[in-house]
Structure formats: structure tokens, C-alpha cells
Amino acid sequence: MKPIATNALIDTLKARFEKNAQRHAGVAWEQVQARLEASKAALQSLDEMERTGGEPDVIGHDKASGQFLFCDCCAETPAGRRSLCYDRQALDARKENKPRGCAVELAAAMGVELLTEQHYRALQQLGEFDTRTSSWVATPEAVRALGGALFCDRRYGKVFVYHNGAESYYAARGFRALLRV
């Protein structure tokens, strides 16, 4: 990962936070900024989310741990994280026409998590996302063991969860990231 311009990133995050207050009612920016400034790793992860087109924003606050939840809030799945199969096992299984990588490894390299189905549904309560794209979500081991993986999108005003072979990849499918700060 490249060095980040911390002040510029914090300014971008603050402007997005203020513009989209409905995503994090009752959360004060000063508290978020203090946690960000205390974690270089979190800033690095947020910079990668931003660089790949995620437009991260605060979508929740865990009162027990004090952590703020950042998620990709771009309208469509981040452009810099598309055309990926699900995980390394799926990538290795492809004999030809391999994608450039896999969602699980890229998320780990970025220091973020894939959204779960529950996170994805919660995000959709804050707006309409993935109306033309789709996003891989964390897949239960029982599904993955059978060769499948889950993805979600929003169509016809509803959120759908689907399955596909984990080795599949499409130009309109990527993943959304979750970061706990």
C-alpha cells in the first residue's frame, strides 16, 4: 500500500460524514476523528477503500466496544474491486480466463471485512445500493464447502441474496468492505 495523505483523507471523510448525517444519527464527528487519528492501520484501510472507489462512511457505532463501523457507501459496488472471484480456492480452481484476483484476499490485504448478509441488508436500509451491480458477501462455510458463494444486490426495490460458483466473476460484481475503527 502506498503512503497516504492523512489530512486530505480525513477532510474527505468528514465532508462525506456531514453530507450524509442520516447514515449515523447521534454520532459526533469529533469522536470518529479521534479514533481515526489514533489508528494508522484504520487510515490506511480507509485510504484503500477510498482509492478503489468505495466512498466509505460511518454507518454504525458499537456502544459496547466504542468502535465505529465504516462501510463502502458508493451507489454501485466499488469499481476498483470488481471482476474478482470469491476466494483463493476458487481462483486456483480456474484453469483459464482467470480473474485478476479474489475478493477474500483483497479484503484481507486492505485490512477490511467482506460484508455479511446482515451487514448488507442493514446498509440497504440507509439508501439504495447496487441497483446495477452486485457484491460478494461473506459466505457460510457449509455453502463454500459445496463450491458456492453468496452475493447480493438490489432490484425492484428489494434486496436479493443469490448463489453462484465461487470461481465465477463478472465485470459488475465486486465486494463492499466493512471496517471497525
Side-chain angles (χ1 to χ4, degrees):
M1 290 190 216
K2 64 177 182 58
I4 62 172
T6 303
N7 291 340
L9 176 61
I10 288 176
D11 289 347
T12 298
L13 295 171
K14 180 180 181 184
R16 187 173 296 127
F17 181 92
E18 291 172 347
K19 182 179 177 185
N20 299 286
Q22 76 285 0
R23 292 179 185 157
H24 35 258
V27 175
W29 173 253
E30 294 73 26
Q31 295 173 317
V32 174
Q33 185 170 345
R35 288 192 73 98
L36 289 174
E37 290 173 345
S39 177
K40 258 195 170 340
L43 286 169
Q44 190 72 49
S45 294
L46 286 163
D47 189 58
E48 281 299 300
M49 290 170 73
E50 189 71 36
R51 187 186 64 75
T52 55
E55 300 176 19
D57 196 8
V58 175
I59 63 161
H61 180 231
D62 180 339
K63 289 180 175 52
S65 69
Q67 293 178 317
F68 294 100
L69 304 179
F70 279 84
C71 184
D72 293 308
C73 291
C74 50
E76 303 300 335
T77 196
R81 290 186 247 141
R82 295 183 191 171
S83 297
L84 304 168
C85 63
Y86 182 72
D87 61 9
R88 171 54 61 180
Q89 180 184 355
L91 184 60
D92 290 345
R94 286 196 72 96
K95 302 298 181 215
E96 54 189 43
N97 301 318
K98 289 188 180 229
R100 62 182 173 86
C102 58
V104 171
E105 282 187 354
L106 183 53
M110 292 172 62
V112 299
E113 305 169 39
L114 289 181
L115 271 62
T116 63
E117 179 184 344
Q118 293 75 22
H119 291 135
Y120 192 88
R121 288 184 182 282
L123 174 66
Q124 291 285 356
Q125 297 298 308
L126 302 175
E128 292 190 3
F129 303 94
D130 288 339
T131 61
R132 295 185 318 271
T133 57
S134 60
S135 296
W136 289 115
V137 294
T139 298
E141 193 53 46
V143 173
R144 188 62 197 96
L146 296 172
L150 302 180
F151 66 96
C152 298
D153 64 25
R154 182 182 195 105
R155 303 291 192 274
Y156 311 109
K158 296 198 175 288
V159 176
F160 291 92
V161 178
Y162 307 90
H163 61 88
N164 213 176
E167 73 285 347
S168 67
Y169 68 99
Y170 299 92
R173 182 173 309 146
F175 74 92
R176 290 178 179 275
L178 179 74
L179 179 67
R180 300 167 194 275
V181 179

